[in-house]
Amino acid sequence: MIIDCHGHFTTVPKSFRDWRAKQVEFADDPVNAPRIREGRITDDQIREGVGGGQLKLQQERGSDLTLFSPIAGLMSHHLGNERTSLEWAELSNDTVYRVTELYPDNFVPVCQLPQSPGAPPANSIPELKRCVEELGFVGCNLNPDPTGGYWTGKPVTDREWYPLYEALVELDVPAMIHVAASCNPNFHGTGAHYLNADTSVFMQVLQSKLFEDFPTLRFVIPHGGGAVPYHWGRYRGMSLEIAERPLEEMFANIFFDTCVYHQPGVELLTKVIPADNVLFGSEMIGAVRCKDPDTGHYFDDTKRYVDAIPSLSEADRHKIYETNARRVYPRLDARLKARSL
């Protein structure tokens, strides 16, 4: 089985985005704000969006199952307020859940959290528990910067995050580190803000004792880990100097996906990071939607890159494609075993 750990419902209908825009417009006017039920899309709209998008590409490109979450860019925790963020998270998560109910063989749900600038991370726990315990979600996306590119909050290693981590550990679900859209004109969303966040969170954790406090907490750092694997020597040296420990100790808690959109990058990722810590991911349909003119293939067809790594053993390829995801996402593994998979 080939499990894609990184997919978003980016093919939602225009009406869904329009509802969000209206909600943000009336964020301070709850009387005239749109009701959640008005943002609910139909099953036919879901089928049209997913069937002609992610499902079609999943089948064409040869993967079997996608961990599916709301559109990362549209999480937009910097917009509106804590109330609107909760409403938006509930609507978005319920929509993803309905996708997975319509296509249970193809998609498994991962939730967004109702974060908001300045709001305690603990306030996201009820929605996390609702999604995991009531709806069967297997993980969540955690935004380390709800301000949308201005980073005015505390690092993810600050103790204000600890109640949320306690809940993640209790539920035995990992968090994918994933920012949303950038409202800072200095940082393009997918080209800079995403990769900055991946790199920044890794460095924050490197400087901390977070995993000593939470030895079973698991983070998936997407987009190939930002700059981390490509400057591994720098981080190994800083870990020895700053934390006085080998960087490799973090491998029990940190994992990277393969959302790197060219062959040399994916090969370097798998040379630097042990196969046990790499999960297959594509982010399709996501950051880059066009074809590479040099190859004629879509940039986000990442399975093609993994298949073509000459130094990768079949055993390691199997880890990247399936067993690592089942290990990092135990609720996914239990879900599959219940279906004798």
Side-chain angles (χ1 to χ4, degrees):
M1 176 178 289
I2 297 176
I3 301 172
D4 185 340
C5 77
H6 192 167
H8 303 293
F9 192 7
T10 53
T11 54
V12 292
K14 181 176 181 296
S15 62
F16 195 72
R17 297 173 183 268
D18 290 344
W19 185 92
R20 171 59 169 168
K22 186 176 181 181
Q23 187 210 31
V24 171
E25 180 183 358
F26 290 94
D28 297 323
D29 184 7
V31 174
N32 294 306
R35 300 296 179 257
I36 291 182
R37 65 177 181 274
E38 297 170 3
R40 183 180 171 89
I41 61 178
T42 67
D43 286 353
D44 285 343
Q45 287 176 307
I46 290 175
R47 292 189 185 97
E48 182 180 358
V50 174
Q54 289 88 348
L55 181 61
K56 177 176 180 288
L57 294 180
Q58 184 188 85
Q59 295 169 342
E60 289 178 355
R61 297 178 184 180
S63 61
D64 299 301
L65 188 70
T66 302
L67 302 190
F68 209 54
S69 64
I71 310 173
L74 277 186
M75 292 192 299
S76 298
H77 295 116
H78 60 284
L79 298 176
N81 51 49
E82 194 170 0
R83 174 185 59 80
T84 58
S85 184
L86 176 58
E87 291 177 351
W88 179 233
E90 290 176 346
L91 177 61
S92 298
N93 291 332
D94 287 346
T95 302
V96 161
Y97 173 73
R98 289 173 56 210
V99 171
T100 64
E101 288 292 285
L102 289 171
Y103 299 99
D105 295 334
N106 304 96
F107 301 100
V108 172
V110 170
C111 67
Q112 77 178 56
L113 300 177
Q115 299 173 251
S116 188
N123 292 4
S124 291
I125 295 174
E127 177 63 7
L128 172 67
K129 288 190 172 182
R130 180 184 80 93
C131 288
V132 174
E133 296 178 331
E134 298 178 22
L135 302 180
F137 281 59
V138 302
C140 71
N141 291 337
L142 186 151
N143 186 350
D145 173 36
T147 67
Y150 284 96
W151 293 87
T152 59
K154 296 177 181 178
V156 298
T157 52
D158 188 89
R159 286 190 171 271
E160 77 166 11
W161 293 87
Y162 274 32
L164 179 59
Y165 299 155
E166 290 169 359
L168 290 171
V169 169
E170 175 191 345
L171 296 168
D172 200 16
V173 295
M176 176 173 280
I177 301 299
H178 211 309
V179 289
S182 171
C183 59
N184 186 333
N186 290 292
F187 303 112
H188 183 272
T190 55
H193 185 40
Y194 282 16
L195 306 183
N196 291 346
D198 303 333
T199 308
S200 297
V201 167
F202 185 87
M203 188 64 202
Q204 290 173 8
V205 174
L206 183 155
Q207 294 173 272
S208 77
K209 295 184 178 180
L210 178 64
F211 295 139
E212 292 181 22
D213 294 335
F214 296 98
T216 61
L217 179 66
R218 299 180 301 281
F219 285 163
V220 178
I221 300 187
H223 319 116
V228 174
Y230 316 100
H231 292 276
W232 193 249
R234 178 185 297 257
Y235 293 107
R236 288 188 67 225
M238 287 192 290
S239 183
L240 293 170
E241 291 180 349
I242 296 173
E244 298 182 337
R245 66 177 177 225
L247 185 59
E248 288 75 12
E249 289 183 5
M250 292 173 62
F251 281 144
N253 309 89
I254 293 278
F255 304 86
F256 303 82
D257 75 13
T258 63
C259 292
V260 180
Y261 292 163
H262 70 144
Q263 190 68 42
V266 173
E267 290 188 19
L268 191 147
L269 170 68
T270 57
K271 287 180 180 178
V272 173
I273 304 300
D276 288 341
N277 291 77
V278 179
L279 280 64
F280 173 66
S282 71
E283 205 177 2
M284 68 179 189
I285 306 169
V288 178
R289 303 190 180 201
C290 63
K291 289 185 177 181
D292 183 342
D294 292 339
T295 66
H297 300 294
Y298 285 97
F299 283 100
D300 62 358
D301 186 359
T302 55
K303 180 177 179 293
R304 181 179 299 276
Y305 308 138
V306 176
D307 285 343
I309 300 173
S311 61
L312 201 62
S313 70
E314 287 308 308
D316 285 346
R317 209 182 312 270
H318 182 59
K319 290 178 181 179
I320 292 171
Y321 277 145
E322 179 179 356
T323 57
N324 290 345
R326 298 179 73 139
R327 176 167 52 89
V328 175
Y329 292 83
R331 288 178 179 266
L332 167 66
D333 186 53
R335 190 182 183 114
L336 294 175
K337 285 179 177 175
R339 297 170 53 200
S340 299
L341 295 174

